[in-house]
Amino acid sequence: MAVFTPEQQLRILSDLVAIQSANDHELQVANYLAKLLGDHGITATVLPAEPDADHKQAEPDRANLVAEIGSGAPVLALSGHMDTVSVGDADAWTSDPFTVTERDGLLQGRGTTDMKAGLAAMVIAMIELKAQGLPRKGTLRLLASRAEEVGEYGAKELARAGYMRDADALVVGEPSGWNIIYTHKGSVDFRLRSQGTAAHSSMPEAGFNAIPPLMEVLVRAQQEFNARPASDPVLGELTFSTTVFHGGDQVNTIPDAAVAEVNVRTIPQFDNDEAIALLKGLVGEQNRRGARISLDPYMQEPVVQAPRDSLLVRLATKLGERISGVTTPGGRRGRRHGRVQPAQGQGTRLPLHDVRARQRDDAHRQREHRQADVPRFRAAVPAPVRGIPRPGRLTATGRVADRAGRRPGATGWARSRPAPEWAPVRE
């Protein structure tokens, strides 16, 4: 008999969504999960965030969480992040973003897709497996991380603390459709600061406008990246995006400062180092002409390629098709990740893949949602893994990939970004 009824599973998801952990307050999520796990005989350790080179001061309401069942090898790690993005314009929501609301067959609420449903699924699965005396061999380790959306500090902390050292594979609970994510684009976030000299707009020659040279760098960068012939057969094109721009504060004043942030998604044919070198060259060119622009590549993630045909991918594909009745779709190009039928990666020897739930396309949007029909998974799931909710329903199965905070090599794992639009998939 299952530990949780469908209604109780939904209650867990609702409780998690109700915790307002938009870019903060993961400690509250960690405490909730620690109690839930503890109530079912699973010890969980809450690891408060500590100041380090990444964040200069203590953050008292942020934390990571680690829990295990079983013992010995092999070690399968389950990763999920406890933070969400902000709700944005609250008026754009049709219901309270922190209350799971059913509308038109969908469960709406911040985190229902990205990724409190996935987190709930993994915790529920661990409790159900523990109740069945499983696993009989090996260890299942939950790594719930903080600050995934901005900085990915939690995953770095967990990796530095050694929780991935003995891991044979990692499942990340982000939604990905009935796809298995096996390769990810790299990613570099840059901050560019342009320093000028303020003056009245009636006498612009008395100052130096910080905006034009910064704009020229951005326009040139877009042209240069677009002109690169680099392309990957699975990941697609190298991409450059200007995502943040601030400059000036009054229309009749020459601005003395401007700031922009840009993101580059890299591929094996044009990696992070090449992207950094290209932008450094453009900034240097402007500075030689009198500008004062600084460039800070403040976050980097390498291209990740894991084996396309590992045991884990084969098992995930087989189980996914058995549960859903849907043949695992072929790989989709571009964005941050490749999808399969199996997988691929760089910077790690772990079989790291994504096996996520169906809905991801609305993540980060005001209308974030997932299907409302509670999973009726017991009849479809083989006895040894009963208790794991069906992917693409109320909860999300994890994605077998390689990071969650972050990535192999530098941080120990991998992640993916939202896709464009969501549409229901017929089963």
Side-chain angles (χ1 to χ4, degrees):
M1 179 178 294
V3 175
F4 297 105
T5 65
E7 291 74 22
Q8 289 171 326
Q9 294 177 30
L10 180 57
R11 179 73 265 165
I12 292 170
L13 174 60
S14 298
D15 289 346
L16 290 174
V17 170
I19 300 173
Q20 300 186 24
S21 57
N23 300 310
D24 202 350
H25 309 303
E26 296 94 338
L27 178 59
Q28 298 174 41
V29 180
N31 287 337
Y32 174 89
L33 294 178
K35 183 179 186 307
L36 177 63
L37 290 161
D39 288 345
H40 294 88
I42 301 174
T43 300
T45 303
V46 176
L47 305 169
E50 297 180 2
D52 61 16
D54 291 320
H55 34 280
K56 306 301 182 184
Q57 58 186 16
E59 299 174 276
D61 204 24
R62 312 201 76 169
N64 300 309
L65 176 140
V66 178
E68 290 185 357
I69 58 174
S71 63
V75 176
L76 175 61
L78 305 178
S79 176
H81 62 87
M82 298 179 286
D83 58 323
T84 68
V85 295
S86 67
V87 299
D89 180 5
D91 292 335
W93 288 78
T94 55
S95 59
D96 178 2
F98 299 108
T99 299
V100 173
T101 304
E102 183 175 350
R103 179 176 287 104
D104 300 327
L106 303 173
L107 294 177
Q108 297 184 339
R110 175 55 83 218
T112 52
T113 295
D114 185 18
M115 64 157 286
K116 288 181 175 177
L119 197 57
M122 291 185 290
V123 171
I124 290 168
M126 289 185 72
I127 293 170
E128 295 282 0
L129 291 169
K130 171 77 171 177
Q132 297 173 42
L134 300 172
R136 295 188 182 92
K137 177 184 178 181
T139 302
L140 196 61
R141 177 181 299 154
L142 174 67
L143 303 174
S145 64
R146 72 181 190 91
E148 187 271 351
E149 297 293 355
V150 178
E152 300 172 350
Y153 300 120
K156 295 175 185 177
E157 292 164 354
L158 290 169
R160 283 196 294 259
Y163 288 106
M164 283 297 295
R165 261 180 223 140
D166 60 346
D168 295 281
L170 178 69
V171 175
V172 182
E174 300 260 7
S176 68
W178 293 108
N179 298 285
I180 298 169
I181 305 302
Y182 65 93
T183 179
H184 295 257
K185 285 185 176 181
S187 181
V188 190
D189 291 338
F190 296 88
R191 185 176 293 111
L192 298 96
R193 298 182 185 275
S194 177
Q195 186 64 47
T197 302
H200 196 279
S201 62
S202 64
M203 298 180 293
E205 68 280 0
F208 183 87
N209 193 329
I211 291 179
L214 181 56
M215 289 179 62
E216 187 163 342
V217 168
L218 298 176
V219 171
R220 285 283 311 283
Q222 188 74 66
Q223 294 169 342
E224 291 284 342
F225 279 98
N226 287 350
R228 299 287 153 173
S231 179
D232 184 86
V234 174
L235 294 173
E237 308 298 322
L238 171 75
T239 62
F240 172 90
S241 302
T242 299
T243 52
V244 175
F245 191 97
H246 299 290
D249 55 16
Q250 188 169 310
V251 71
N252 62 342
T253 300
I254 299 301
D256 62 357
V259 179
E261 294 187 40
V262 303
N263 173 259
V264 179
R265 297 301 170 104
T266 58
I267 54 179
Q269 295 81 357
F270 195 96
D271 64 17
N272 292 8
D273 290 341
E274 291 174 284
I276 293 170
L278 193 158
L279 275 170
K280 278 185 176 179
L282 295 177
V283 168
E285 182 181 320
Q286 283 297 314
N287 288 344
R288 287 189 291 274
R289 293 163 56 184
R292 287 176 289 166
I293 301 174
S294 63
L295 177 69
D296 176 20
Y298 64 89
M299 190 180 80
Q300 289 194 59
E301 297 164 353
V303 174
V304 173
Q305 295 172 297
R308 180 181 175 87
D309 191 30
S310 72
L311 173 61
L312 186 56
V313 167
R314 293 197 300 273
L315 287 172
T317 302
K318 183 177 179 180
L319 284 172
E321 292 178 358
R322 182 172 177 178
I323 294 168
S324 68
V326 175
T327 300
T328 304
R332 184 171 77 181
R333 300 185 179 185
R335 302 202 172 268
R336 166 112 168 86
H337 48 264
R339 303 177 182 249
V340 256
Q341 236 144 335
Q344 163 177 305
Q346 169 180 315
T348 178
R349 288 170 291 179
L350 296 176
L352 305 170
H353 314 282
D354 283 357
V355 181
R356 316 186 214 179
R358 183 163 65 228
Q359 292 155 255
R360 167 96 190 164
D361 303 342
D362 68 300
H364 293 199
R365 299 183 180 187
Q366 279 84 2
R367 63 181 183 82
E368 183 173 358
H369 63 264
R370 66 183 313 98
Q371 283 180 283
D373 49 329
V374 176
R376 297 181 295 276
F377 53 84
R378 286 188 58 77
V381 182
V385 292
R386 281 183 181 164
I388 301 178
R390 292 183 63 188
R393 298 291 190 172
L394 164 65
T395 52
T397 22
R399 83 184 188 184
V400 189
D402 66 293
R403 159 223 94 96
R406 323 165 143 341
R407 278 93 261 266
T411 62
W413 32 126
R415 130 183 164 200
S416 73
R417 296 295 187 190
E421 264 300 324
W422 177 84
V425 177
R426 295 181 183 272
E427 294 185 355

